[in-house]
């Protein structure tokens, strides 16, 4: 499922979309909030620039909306159907807690999805410095 060379591998691991050998982020832990969105300028393995143009990652906000909705729907389904809680207020707080708790992951996933829409795996770049 997470085979190297797939977009899903790059999206879920936060690795370079071209060579998938290095993390795009300075710190792998998304819950270190001061560095959640700090990225390397380029990949040290293949030299790919992550910021294609100024304000490139503004488009990730649109992706973030969809990813947030997916997390909210998952929280709703788990709360209502798996836990059997039918109180609307508790369900609301479960959704809000999920969105707040997973916010760093949602932001990184959105960036990963956004950059992978514009770049694809390149086996030549992967083997470049191996």
């Amino acid at each position: 499922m997470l085979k190297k060379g797939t977009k899903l591998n790059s999206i879920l691991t936060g690795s370079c979309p071209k060579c998938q050998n290095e993390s795009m982020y300075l710190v792998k832990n998304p819950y270190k909030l001061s560095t959640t969105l700090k990225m390397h300028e380029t990949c040290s393995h293949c030299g790919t620039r992550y910021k294609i143009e100024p304000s490139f990652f503004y488009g990730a906000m649109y992706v973030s909306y969809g990813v947030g909705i997916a997390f909210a729907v998952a929280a709703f389904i788990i709360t209502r159907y798996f836990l059997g809680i039918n109180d609307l207020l508790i369900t609301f707080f479960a959704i809000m807690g999920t969105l707040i708790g997973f916010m760093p992951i949602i932001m990184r996933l959105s960036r990963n999805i956004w950059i992978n829409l514009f770049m694809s795996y390149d086996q030549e770049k992967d083997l470049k410095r191996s």
Side-chain angles (χ1 to χ4, degrees), residues 56-75:
F56 172 70
F57 286 107
Y58 282 170
M61 291 187 300
Y62 296 104
V63 176
S64 176
Y65 179 75
V67 173
I69 293 296
F71 273 75
V73 168

PDB file of all heavy atoms in Angstrom, residues 56-75:
ATOM      1  N   PHE A  56       2.805  29.416  -2.827  1.00  0.00           N
ATOM      2  CA  PHE A  56       2.385  28.162  -3.453  1.00  0.00           C
ATOM      3  C   PHE A  56       1.418  27.376  -2.573  1.00  0.00           C
ATOM      4  O   PHE A  56       0.425  26.827  -3.045  1.00  0.00           O
ATOM      5  CB  PHE A  56       3.606  27.298  -3.793  1.00  0.00           C
ATOM      6  CG  PHE A  56       3.264  25.915  -4.260  1.00  0.00           C
ATOM      7  CD1 PHE A  56       2.672  25.713  -5.499  1.00  0.00           C
ATOM      8  CD2 PHE A  56       3.509  24.806  -3.466  1.00  0.00           C
ATOM      9  CE1 PHE A  56       2.349  24.442  -5.941  1.00  0.00           C
ATOM     10  CE2 PHE A  56       3.186  23.535  -3.895  1.00  0.00           C
ATOM     11  CZ  PHE A  56       2.613  23.357  -5.137  1.00  0.00           C
ATOM     12  N   PHE A  57       1.694  27.336  -1.280  1.00  0.00           N
ATOM     13  CA  PHE A  57       0.906  26.487  -0.396  1.00  0.00           C
ATOM     14  C   PHE A  57      -0.410  27.120   0.053  1.00  0.00           C
ATOM     15  O   PHE A  57      -1.129  26.535   0.849  1.00  0.00           O
ATOM     16  CB  PHE A  57       1.740  26.038   0.803  1.00  0.00           C
ATOM     17  CG  PHE A  57       2.741  24.986   0.435  1.00  0.00           C
ATOM     18  CD1 PHE A  57       4.086  25.287   0.362  1.00  0.00           C
ATOM     19  CD2 PHE A  57       2.339  23.698   0.131  1.00  0.00           C
ATOM     20  CE1 PHE A  57       5.001  24.321   0.005  1.00  0.00           C
ATOM     21  CE2 PHE A  57       3.248  22.727  -0.231  1.00  0.00           C
ATOM     22  CZ  PHE A  57       4.589  23.038  -0.287  1.00  0.00           C
ATOM     23  N   TYR A  58      -0.756  28.299  -0.449  1.00  0.00           N
ATOM     24  CA  TYR A  58      -2.081  28.858  -0.153  1.00  0.00           C
ATOM     25  C   TYR A  58      -3.182  27.954  -0.696  1.00  0.00           C
ATOM     26  O   TYR A  58      -4.264  27.869  -0.131  1.00  0.00           O
ATOM     27  CB  TYR A  58      -2.235  30.261  -0.725  1.00  0.00           C
ATOM     28  CG  TYR A  58      -1.563  31.345   0.089  1.00  0.00           C
ATOM     29  CD1 TYR A  58      -1.447  32.623  -0.413  1.00  0.00           C
ATOM     30  CD2 TYR A  58      -1.044  31.098   1.346  1.00  0.00           C
ATOM     31  CE1 TYR A  58      -0.830  33.626   0.318  1.00  0.00           C
ATOM     32  CE2 TYR A  58      -0.429  32.079   2.088  1.00  0.00           C
ATOM     33  CZ  TYR A  58      -0.328  33.347   1.570  1.00  0.00           C
ATOM     34  OH  TYR A  58       0.276  34.331   2.300  1.00  0.00           O
ATOM     35  N   GLY A  59      -2.917  27.280  -1.777  1.00  0.00           N
ATOM     36  CA  GLY A  59      -3.892  26.358  -2.352  1.00  0.00           C
ATOM     37  C   GLY A  59      -4.184  25.178  -1.439  1.00  0.00           C
ATOM     38  O   GLY A  59      -5.238  24.553  -1.540  1.00  0.00           O
ATOM     39  N   ALA A  60      -3.257  24.886  -0.527  1.00  0.00           N
ATOM     40  CA  ALA A  60      -3.464  23.776   0.405  1.00  0.00           C
ATOM     41  C   ALA A  60      -4.611  24.077   1.368  1.00  0.00           C
ATOM     42  O   ALA A  60      -5.170  23.163   1.973  1.00  0.00           O
ATOM     43  CB  ALA A  60      -2.182  23.499   1.189  1.00  0.00           C
ATOM     44  N   MET A  61      -4.993  25.348   1.491  1.00  0.00           N
ATOM     45  CA  MET A  61      -6.126  25.692   2.351  1.00  0.00           C
ATOM     46  C   MET A  61      -7.411  25.073   1.821  1.00  0.00           C
ATOM     47  O   MET A  61      -8.282  24.667   2.588  1.00  0.00           O
ATOM     48  CB  MET A  61      -6.279  27.206   2.462  1.00  0.00           C
ATOM     49  CG  MET A  61      -5.170  27.868   3.247  1.00  0.00           C
ATOM     50  SD  MET A  61      -5.452  29.611   3.556  1.00  0.00           S
ATOM     51  CE  MET A  61      -5.546  30.275   1.913  1.00  0.00           C
ATOM     52  N   TYR A  62      -7.556  25.013   0.506  1.00  0.00           N
ATOM     53  CA  TYR A  62      -8.746  24.398  -0.082  1.00  0.00           C
ATOM     54  C   TYR A  62      -8.755  22.898   0.184  1.00  0.00           C
ATOM     55  O   TYR A  62      -9.802  22.312   0.474  1.00  0.00           O
ATOM     56  CB  TYR A  62      -8.801  24.672  -1.586  1.00  0.00           C
ATOM     57  CG  TYR A  62      -8.938  26.134  -1.900  1.00  0.00           C
ATOM     58  CD1 TYR A  62      -7.855  26.871  -2.354  1.00  0.00           C
ATOM     59  CD2 TYR A  62     -10.157  26.776  -1.716  1.00  0.00           C
ATOM     60  CE1 TYR A  62      -7.978  28.218  -2.628  1.00  0.00           C
ATOM     61  CE2 TYR A  62     -10.285  28.130  -1.987  1.00  0.00           C
ATOM     62  CZ  TYR A  62      -9.193  28.842  -2.441  1.00  0.00           C
ATOM     63  OH  TYR A  62      -9.320  30.181  -2.695  1.00  0.00           O
ATOM     64  N   VAL A  63      -7.594  22.279   0.094  1.00  0.00           N
ATOM     65  CA  VAL A  63      -7.474  20.856   0.388  1.00  0.00           C
ATOM     66  C   VAL A  63      -7.749  20.617   1.874  1.00  0.00           C
ATOM     67  O   VAL A  63      -8.412  19.649   2.249  1.00  0.00           O
ATOM     68  CB  VAL A  63      -6.078  20.327  -0.009  1.00  0.00           C
ATOM     69  CG1 VAL A  63      -5.915  18.876   0.380  1.00  0.00           C
ATOM     70  CG2 VAL A  63      -5.832  20.519  -1.492  1.00  0.00           C
ATOM     71  N   SER A  64      -7.276  21.534   2.713  1.00  0.00           N
ATOM     72  CA  SER A  64      -7.463  21.422   4.154  1.00  0.00           C
ATOM     73  C   SER A  64      -8.942  21.386   4.526  1.00  0.00           C
ATOM     74  O   SER A  64      -9.344  20.674   5.451  1.00  0.00           O
ATOM     75  CB  SER A  64      -6.782  22.593   4.855  1.00  0.00           C
ATOM     76  OG  SER A  64      -7.023  22.562   6.235  1.00  0.00           O
ATOM     77  N   TYR A  65      -9.745  22.146   3.821  1.00  0.00           N
ATOM     78  CA  TYR A  65     -11.182  22.135   4.071  1.00  0.00           C
ATOM     79  C   TYR A  65     -11.757  20.738   3.850  1.00  0.00           C
ATOM     80  O   TYR A  65     -12.490  20.212   4.688  1.00  0.00           O
ATOM     81  CB  TYR A  65     -11.883  23.147   3.162  1.00  0.00           C
ATOM     82  CG  TYR A  65     -13.370  23.195   3.339  1.00  0.00           C
ATOM     83  CD1 TYR A  65     -13.937  23.810   4.445  1.00  0.00           C
ATOM     84  CD2 TYR A  65     -14.204  22.600   2.410  1.00  0.00           C
ATOM     85  CE1 TYR A  65     -15.310  23.842   4.614  1.00  0.00           C
ATOM     86  CE2 TYR A  65     -15.573  22.623   2.570  1.00  0.00           C
ATOM     87  CZ  TYR A  65     -16.128  23.248   3.670  1.00  0.00           C
ATOM     88  OH  TYR A  65     -17.484  23.272   3.833  1.00  0.00           O
ATOM     89  N   GLY A  66     -11.402  20.119   2.735  1.00  0.00           N
ATOM     90  CA  GLY A  66     -11.895  18.773   2.434  1.00  0.00           C
ATOM     91  C   GLY A  66     -11.390  17.734   3.415  1.00  0.00           C
ATOM     92  O   GLY A  66     -12.141  16.852   3.853  1.00  0.00           O
ATOM     93  N   VAL A  67     -10.120  17.828   3.783  1.00  0.00           N
ATOM     94  CA  VAL A  67      -9.546  16.877   4.738  1.00  0.00           C
ATOM     95  C   VAL A  67     -10.215  17.063   6.106  1.00  0.00           C
ATOM     96  O   VAL A  67     -10.534  16.083   6.788  1.00  0.00           O
ATOM     97  CB  VAL A  67      -8.008  17.041   4.836  1.00  0.00           C
ATOM     98  CG1 VAL A  67      -7.437  16.188   5.947  1.00  0.00           C
ATOM     99  CG2 VAL A  67      -7.351  16.693   3.513  1.00  0.00           C
ATOM    100  N   GLY A  68     -10.459  18.310   6.493  1.00  0.00           N
ATOM    101  CA  GLY A  68     -11.141  18.586   7.755  1.00  0.00           C
ATOM    102  C   GLY A  68     -12.552  18.016   7.774  1.00  0.00           C
ATOM    103  O   GLY A  68     -12.996  17.453   8.788  1.00  0.00           O
ATOM    104  N   ILE A  69     -13.259  18.146   6.663  1.00  0.00           N
ATOM    105  CA  ILE A  69     -14.605  17.577   6.559  1.00  0.00           C
ATOM    106  C   ILE A  69     -14.541  16.051   6.701  1.00  0.00           C
ATOM    107  O   ILE A  69     -15.385  15.448   7.375  1.00  0.00           O
ATOM    108  CB  ILE A  69     -15.269  17.970   5.221  1.00  0.00           C
ATOM    109  CG1 ILE A  69     -15.535  19.472   5.168  1.00  0.00           C
ATOM    110  CG2 ILE A  69     -16.554  17.189   4.983  1.00  0.00           C
ATOM    111  CD1 ILE A  69     -16.519  19.979   6.186  1.00  0.00           C
ATOM    112  N   ALA A  70     -13.551  15.424   6.094  1.00  0.00           N
ATOM    113  CA  ALA A  70     -13.402  13.966   6.200  1.00  0.00           C
ATOM    114  C   ALA A  70     -13.173  13.544   7.653  1.00  0.00           C
ATOM    115  O   ALA A  70     -13.767  12.574   8.135  1.00  0.00           O
ATOM    116  CB  ALA A  70     -12.258  13.488   5.312  1.00  0.00           C
ATOM    117  N   PHE A  71     -12.325  14.281   8.378  1.00  0.00           N
ATOM    118  CA  PHE A  71     -12.080  13.982   9.788  1.00  0.00           C
ATOM    119  C   PHE A  71     -13.350  14.207  10.607  1.00  0.00           C
ATOM    120  O   PHE A  71     -13.652  13.414  11.512  1.00  0.00           O
ATOM    121  CB  PHE A  71     -10.941  14.849  10.333  1.00  0.00           C
ATOM    122  CG  PHE A  71      -9.570  14.263  10.134  1.00  0.00           C
ATOM    123  CD1 PHE A  71      -8.967  14.264   8.895  1.00  0.00           C
ATOM    124  CD2 PHE A  71      -8.879  13.720  11.203  1.00  0.00           C
ATOM    125  CE1 PHE A  71      -7.701  13.737   8.711  1.00  0.00           C
ATOM    126  CE2 PHE A  71      -7.618  13.182  11.042  1.00  0.00           C
ATOM    127  CZ  PHE A  71      -7.022  13.192   9.786  1.00  0.00           C
ATOM    128  N   ALA A  72     -14.097  15.272  10.303  1.00  0.00           N
ATOM    129  CA  ALA A  72     -15.327  15.565  11.039  1.00  0.00           C
ATOM    130  C   ALA A  72     -16.381  14.486  10.809  1.00  0.00           C
ATOM    131  O   ALA A  72     -17.056  14.050  11.752  1.00  0.00           O
ATOM    132  CB  ALA A  72     -15.861  16.939  10.632  1.00  0.00           C
ATOM    133  N   VAL A  73     -16.526  14.045   9.578  1.00  0.00           N
ATOM    134  CA  VAL A  73     -17.490  12.978   9.267  1.00  0.00           C
ATOM    135  C   VAL A  73     -17.082  11.686   9.964  1.00  0.00           C
ATOM    136  O   VAL A  73     -17.932  10.970  10.517  1.00  0.00           O
ATOM    137  CB  VAL A  73     -17.621  12.784   7.736  1.00  0.00           C
ATOM    138  CG1 VAL A  73     -18.365  11.515   7.395  1.00  0.00           C
ATOM    139  CG2 VAL A  73     -18.299  13.994   7.116  1.00  0.00           C
ATOM    140  N   ALA A  74     -15.791  11.384   9.977  1.00  0.00           N
ATOM    141  CA  ALA A  74     -15.312  10.180  10.664  1.00  0.00           C
ATOM    142  C   ALA A  74     -15.615  10.268  12.161  1.00  0.00           C
ATOM    143  O   ALA A  74     -16.071   9.285  12.770  1.00  0.00           O
ATOM    144  CB  ALA A  74     -13.819   9.997  10.427  1.00  0.00           C
ATOM    145  N   ALA A  75     -15.394  11.438  12.762  1.00  0.00           N
ATOM    146  CA  ALA A  75     -15.688  11.617  14.187  1.00  0.00           C
ATOM    147  C   ALA A  75     -17.180  11.458  14.458  1.00  0.00           C
ATOM    148  O   ALA A  75     -17.586  10.840  15.451  1.00  0.00           O
ATOM    149  CB  ALA A  75     -15.211  12.990  14.656  1.00  0.00           C
TER     150      ALA A  75
END
